[in-house]
Amino acid sequence: MFQWPGKKDGGSETERPVYRDPNDLKGQVAVISGSTSGIGLALARAVASRGGDVVLNGLGDPSEIERTRAELEASCGVRVRYHAANMLKGDEVGDMVAYAKHQLGRLDILVNNAGIQHVEAVEKFPADQWEKIIAINLSSTFYATRAAIPIMKAQGRGRIVNIASAHGLVASPFKSAYVAAKHGVIGFTKTVALELAQDNITCNAICPGFVETPIVSKQIEDQARTRGMSKEQVLKDVILGSQPTKRFVTTDELAGIFLYLVSDLGASANGASFSIDGGWTAQ
């Protein structure tokens, strides 16, 4: 993006423009739920590598989380904080957003990424697992967004990115709660986008196909049990069978569309769901 400098004494109206990298996130602050591993951590690294400060959140061994936080801070020269909000608790989710503003001074980017999965037939699906999946995958998105909107409105700009899924657009057997939650995330994304369309705040969803993360690794085991197949068969015929490319989506590929959406170049992308699934939902 080019910004023309003002005319200086003795200068020329035709001075060359100053180039500002639209992917430069210096001075911006991002909160990313579920960012101690997998997709969330990859997006946190993308923000930090471009100069943005980050609030991490997620599960894991406390000492390993601290190592990740410190390494990210030192290697990128940015401020990195951690908030242990439980995504099952709306008040803690809201406090995570307030913590970012209090600790780092502002909030420019909210990424609702936290998610869990359980694979089972509907008639056998445990009620407690249904409640947890809806709470973590869908309700936490609402609580974080509700807390972020007043901050972003006061700043005059904001970017909200919800990590949905190909399962927010299509369904698969044995994933009723996850599919319901991710469809809900996409509907919520559209509503927020419409409400904030004139506030210079965008809200979009990224819909990944299968990415090689801990949640997918566990799915392979669960699908093998549920379907009576070997793990090798599940990987070939069920997991990668959905994706015409026959390979996992990489976290770098997700980071690419993410950086576009949070940049000034993505200002007119609003209420959209971006499929990054190797062609899965094109079928």
Side-chain angles (χ1 to χ4, degrees), residues 155-178:
Q155 292 171 175
R157 185 188 186 279
R159 297 286 186 266
I160 301 168
V161 179
N162 298 323
I163 306 304
S165 168
H167 279 122
L169 301 168
V170 296
S172 293
F174 310 115
K175 297 182 178 180
S176 56
Y178 189 85

Side-chain angles (χ1 to χ4, degrees), residues 105-118:
R106 55 186 299 111
L107 175 62
D108 303 275
I109 300 165
L110 171 66
V111 184
N112 292 302
N113 168 72
I116 60 170
Q117 174 66 282
H118 185 79

Side-chain angles (χ1 to χ4, degrees), residues 61-217:
D61 177 75
S63 60
E64 182 59 34
I65 291 172
E66 173 54 23
R67 279 194 293 272
T68 299
R69 187 207 65 77
E71 181 274 329
L72 194 57
E73 188 172 72
S75 63
C76 297
V78 298
R79 297 176 294 174
V80 181
R81 302 289 186 267
Y82 171 74
H83 192 286
N86 184 339
M87 294 294 110
L88 288 168
K89 300 180 179 180
D91 57 341
E92 292 190 20
V93 176
D95 186 67
M96 175 183 69
V97 173
Y99 171 85
K101 176 69 165 63
H102 180 263
Q103 285 284 308
L104 301 176
R106 55 186 299 111
L107 175 62
D108 303 275
I109 300 165
L110 171 66
V111 184
N112 292 302
N113 168 72
I116 60 170
Q117 174 66 282
H118 185 79
V119 178
E120 188 55 271
V122 171
E123 70 271 22
K124 298 178 182 178
F125 209 97
D128 64 330
Q129 288 295 327
W130 173 276
E131 298 295 340
K132 285 176 67 176
I133 288 170
I134 296 299
I136 293 173
N137 294 23
L138 177 58
S139 296
S140 71
T141 298
F142 159 73
Y143 287 113
T145 303
R146 184 179 69 166
I149 287 172
I151 300 171
M152 291 179 172
K153 280 186 172 180
Q155 292 171 175
R157 185 188 186 279
R159 297 286 186 266
I160 301 168
V161 179
N162 298 323
I163 306 304
S165 168
H167 279 122
L169 301 168
V170 296
S172 293
F174 310 115
K175 297 182 178 180
S176 56
Y178 189 85
V179 170
K182 293 302 188 180
H183 273 67
V185 167
I186 289 178
F188 180 72
T189 297
K190 293 177 180 179
T191 297
V192 172
L194 293 175
E195 290 186 12
L196 303 178
Q198 296 184 39
D199 293 301
N200 199 26
I201 302 170
T202 64
C203 184
N204 292 285
I206 297 175
C207 300
F210 284 108
V211 184
E212 199 167 11
T213 61
I215 193 173
V216 170
S217 297

